Short mmCIF file of all heavy atoms in Angstrom, two decimals:
data_model
loop_
_atom_site.label_atom_id
_atom_site.label_comp_id
_atom_site.label_asym_id
_atom_site.label_seq_id
_atom_site.Cartn_x
_atom_site.Cartn_y
_atom_site.Cartn_z
N LEU L 1146 -207.16 -23.67 -199.11
CA LEU L 1146 -206.39 -24.78 -198.73
C LEU L 1146 -204.95 -24.65 -199.27
O LEU L 1146 -204.73 -24.78 -200.44
CB LEU L 1146 -207.03 -26.07 -199.10
CG LEU L 1146 -208.36 -26.42 -198.40
CD1 LEU L 1146 -208.85 -27.78 -198.82
CD2 LEU L 1146 -208.24 -26.33 -196.89
N TYR L 1168 -183.02 -34.34 -214.36
CA TYR L 1168 -184.08 -35.28 -214.13
C TYR L 1168 -184.17 -35.78 -212.65
O TYR L 1168 -185.26 -36.09 -212.22
CB TYR L 1168 -183.93 -36.51 -215.02
CG TYR L 1168 -184.14 -36.09 -216.49
CD1 TYR L 1168 -183.19 -36.51 -217.46
CD2 TYR L 1168 -185.20 -35.35 -216.89
CE1 TYR L 1168 -183.34 -36.15 -218.86
CE2 TYR L 1168 -185.40 -35.02 -218.27
CZ TYR L 1168 -184.45 -35.40 -219.19
OH TYR L 1168 -184.62 -35.06 -220.51
N PHE L 1171 -186.19 -33.27 -210.95
CA PHE L 1171 -187.57 -33.40 -211.44
C PHE L 1171 -188.30 -34.59 -210.72
O PHE L 1171 -189.42 -34.37 -210.35
CB PHE L 1171 -187.55 -33.62 -212.98
CG PHE L 1171 -188.85 -34.10 -213.53
CD1 PHE L 1171 -189.97 -33.19 -213.62
CD2 PHE L 1171 -188.98 -35.40 -213.95
CE1 PHE L 1171 -191.14 -33.70 -214.15
CE2 PHE L 1171 -190.24 -35.85 -214.41
CZ PHE L 1171 -191.24 -34.98 -214.52
N SER L 1176 -192.44 -36.22 -207.28
CA SER L 1176 -192.95 -37.18 -206.24
C SER L 1176 -193.52 -36.42 -205.05
O SER L 1176 -194.58 -36.79 -204.54
CB SER L 1176 -191.81 -38.10 -205.82
OG SER L 1176 -191.31 -38.83 -206.92
N LEU L 1180 -197.36 -36.40 -203.57
CA LEU L 1180 -197.70 -36.71 -202.14
C LEU L 1180 -198.39 -35.55 -201.48
O LEU L 1180 -199.15 -35.76 -200.55
CB LEU L 1180 -196.32 -37.01 -201.43
CG LEU L 1180 -195.60 -38.28 -201.77
CD1 LEU L 1180 -194.23 -38.36 -201.03
CD2 LEU L 1180 -196.45 -39.46 -201.48
N THR L 1181 -198.14 -34.34 -201.99
CA THR L 1181 -198.82 -33.18 -201.45
C THR L 1181 -200.29 -33.17 -201.91
O THR L 1181 -201.13 -32.93 -201.08
CB THR L 1181 -198.15 -31.86 -201.90
OG1 THR L 1181 -196.76 -31.89 -201.52
CG2 THR L 1181 -198.76 -30.63 -201.30
N LYS L 1204 -187.13 -40.00 -221.43
CA LYS L 1204 -188.06 -39.21 -220.74
C LYS L 1204 -189.26 -40.00 -220.23
O LYS L 1204 -189.83 -39.76 -219.18
CB LYS L 1204 -188.57 -38.10 -221.65
CG LYS L 1204 -187.60 -36.96 -221.84
CD LYS L 1204 -188.18 -35.79 -222.62
CE LYS L 1204 -187.16 -34.60 -222.68
NZ LYS L 1204 -187.74 -33.45 -223.41
N VAL L 1207 -188.04 -41.48 -217.03
CA VAL L 1207 -187.95 -40.42 -216.02
C VAL L 1207 -189.35 -40.10 -215.45
O VAL L 1207 -189.50 -39.99 -214.26
CB VAL L 1207 -187.29 -39.11 -216.65
CG1 VAL L 1207 -187.43 -37.98 -215.72
CG2 VAL L 1207 -185.85 -39.42 -216.93
N CYS L 1217 -194.50 -46.47 -203.01
CA CYS L 1217 -193.96 -46.96 -201.79
C CYS L 1217 -194.68 -46.31 -200.54
O CYS L 1217 -194.95 -47.08 -199.60
CB CYS L 1217 -192.48 -46.56 -201.74
SG CYS L 1217 -191.44 -47.50 -202.86
N LEU L 1255 -234.17 -19.32 -205.78
CA LEU L 1255 -234.78 -18.20 -206.59
C LEU L 1255 -236.32 -18.37 -206.54
O LEU L 1255 -237.04 -17.37 -206.49
CB LEU L 1255 -234.33 -18.33 -208.07
CG LEU L 1255 -232.87 -17.76 -208.34
CD1 LEU L 1255 -232.45 -18.10 -209.73
CD2 LEU L 1255 -232.88 -16.21 -208.11
N LEU L 1264 -229.46 -16.74 -200.90
CA LEU L 1264 -229.38 -16.69 -202.37
C LEU L 1264 -228.08 -16.15 -202.80
O LEU L 1264 -227.45 -16.61 -203.76
CB LEU L 1264 -230.53 -15.77 -202.87
CG LEU L 1264 -230.56 -15.55 -204.43
CD1 LEU L 1264 -230.71 -16.92 -205.11
CD2 LEU L 1264 -231.70 -14.63 -204.81
N LEU L 1301 -208.17 -32.92 -217.83
CA LEU L 1301 -208.18 -33.76 -216.64
C LEU L 1301 -208.53 -32.94 -215.43
O LEU L 1301 -209.26 -33.46 -214.54
CB LEU L 1301 -206.83 -34.38 -216.51
CG LEU L 1301 -206.46 -35.52 -217.51
CD1 LEU L 1301 -205.00 -35.97 -217.30
CD2 LEU L 1301 -207.41 -36.70 -217.32
N ALA L 1309 -216.77 -33.88 -209.19
CA ALA L 1309 -216.74 -33.60 -207.75
C ALA L 1309 -218.21 -33.60 -207.26
O ALA L 1309 -219.09 -33.03 -207.82
CB ALA L 1309 -216.11 -32.29 -207.41
N TYR L 1312 -221.84 -32.51 -201.68
CA TYR L 1312 -221.67 -32.37 -200.24
C TYR L 1312 -220.30 -31.94 -199.84
O TYR L 1312 -220.18 -31.02 -199.03
CB TYR L 1312 -222.12 -33.69 -199.57
CG TYR L 1312 -221.94 -33.56 -198.06
CD1 TYR L 1312 -222.97 -32.95 -197.30
CD2 TYR L 1312 -220.89 -34.20 -197.38
CE1 TYR L 1312 -222.85 -32.88 -195.96
CE2 TYR L 1312 -220.74 -34.13 -196.02
CZ TYR L 1312 -221.74 -33.43 -195.29
OH TYR L 1312 -221.65 -33.38 -193.92
N HIS L 1313 -219.32 -32.60 -200.41
CA HIS L 1313 -217.89 -32.24 -199.99
C HIS L 1313 -217.26 -31.19 -200.79
O HIS L 1313 -216.25 -30.59 -200.36
CB HIS L 1313 -217.04 -33.53 -200.10
CG HIS L 1313 -217.36 -34.60 -199.16
ND1 HIS L 1313 -218.20 -35.68 -199.55
CD2 HIS L 1313 -217.09 -34.84 -197.89
CE1 HIS L 1313 -218.32 -36.45 -198.45
NE2 HIS L 1313 -217.70 -36.00 -197.42
N ARG L 1323 -210.77 -24.06 -205.21
CA ARG L 1323 -209.35 -24.51 -205.12
C ARG L 1323 -209.06 -25.54 -206.24
O ARG L 1323 -207.94 -25.72 -206.59
CB ARG L 1323 -209.00 -25.04 -203.78
CG ARG L 1323 -209.71 -26.35 -203.40
CD ARG L 1323 -209.34 -26.84 -202.02
NE ARG L 1323 -210.10 -28.04 -201.65
CZ ARG L 1323 -209.84 -29.24 -202.07
NH1 ARG L 1323 -208.83 -29.48 -202.93
NH2 ARG L 1323 -210.61 -30.29 -201.69
N PRO L 1330 -201.59 -22.54 -214.24
CA PRO L 1330 -200.28 -22.74 -214.87
C PRO L 1330 -200.32 -23.62 -216.10
O PRO L 1330 -199.55 -23.41 -217.08
CB PRO L 1330 -199.44 -23.44 -213.76
CG PRO L 1330 -200.45 -23.98 -212.82
CD PRO L 1330 -201.65 -23.03 -212.88
N ASN L 1370 -210.82 -17.01 -185.24
CA ASN L 1370 -210.21 -16.92 -183.89
C ASN L 1370 -208.79 -17.35 -183.92
O ASN L 1370 -208.35 -18.14 -184.79
CB ASN L 1370 -210.98 -17.80 -182.94
CG ASN L 1370 -212.40 -17.31 -182.75
OD1 ASN L 1370 -212.67 -16.13 -182.76
ND2 ASN L 1370 -213.37 -18.27 -182.58
N VAL L 1373 -202.87 -17.00 -178.70
CA VAL L 1373 -201.52 -16.52 -178.41
C VAL L 1373 -200.87 -17.42 -177.37
O VAL L 1373 -201.50 -17.67 -176.29
CB VAL L 1373 -201.47 -15.04 -178.00
CG1 VAL L 1373 -200.02 -14.61 -177.72
CG2 VAL L 1373 -202.08 -14.15 -179.06
N PHE L 1375 -198.92 -20.99 -175.93
CA PHE L 1375 -198.94 -22.46 -176.02
C PHE L 1375 -199.85 -23.02 -174.92
O PHE L 1375 -199.96 -22.48 -173.90
CB PHE L 1375 -197.52 -23.03 -175.88
CG PHE L 1375 -196.57 -22.60 -176.95
CD1 PHE L 1375 -195.72 -21.57 -176.76
CD2 PHE L 1375 -196.58 -23.21 -178.26
CE1 PHE L 1375 -194.85 -21.09 -177.75
CE2 PHE L 1375 -195.76 -22.82 -179.22
CZ PHE L 1375 -194.86 -21.77 -178.98
#
Side-chain angles (χ1 to χ4, degrees):
L1146 295 183
Y1168 295 132
F1171 165 74
S1176 301
L1180 292 175
T1181 304
K1204 286 188 175 180
V1207 168
C1217 291
L1255 282 171
L1264 178 61
L1301 287 174
Y1312 180 77
H1313 293 98
R1323 66 178 175 80
N1370 295 326
V1373 178
F1375 299 95

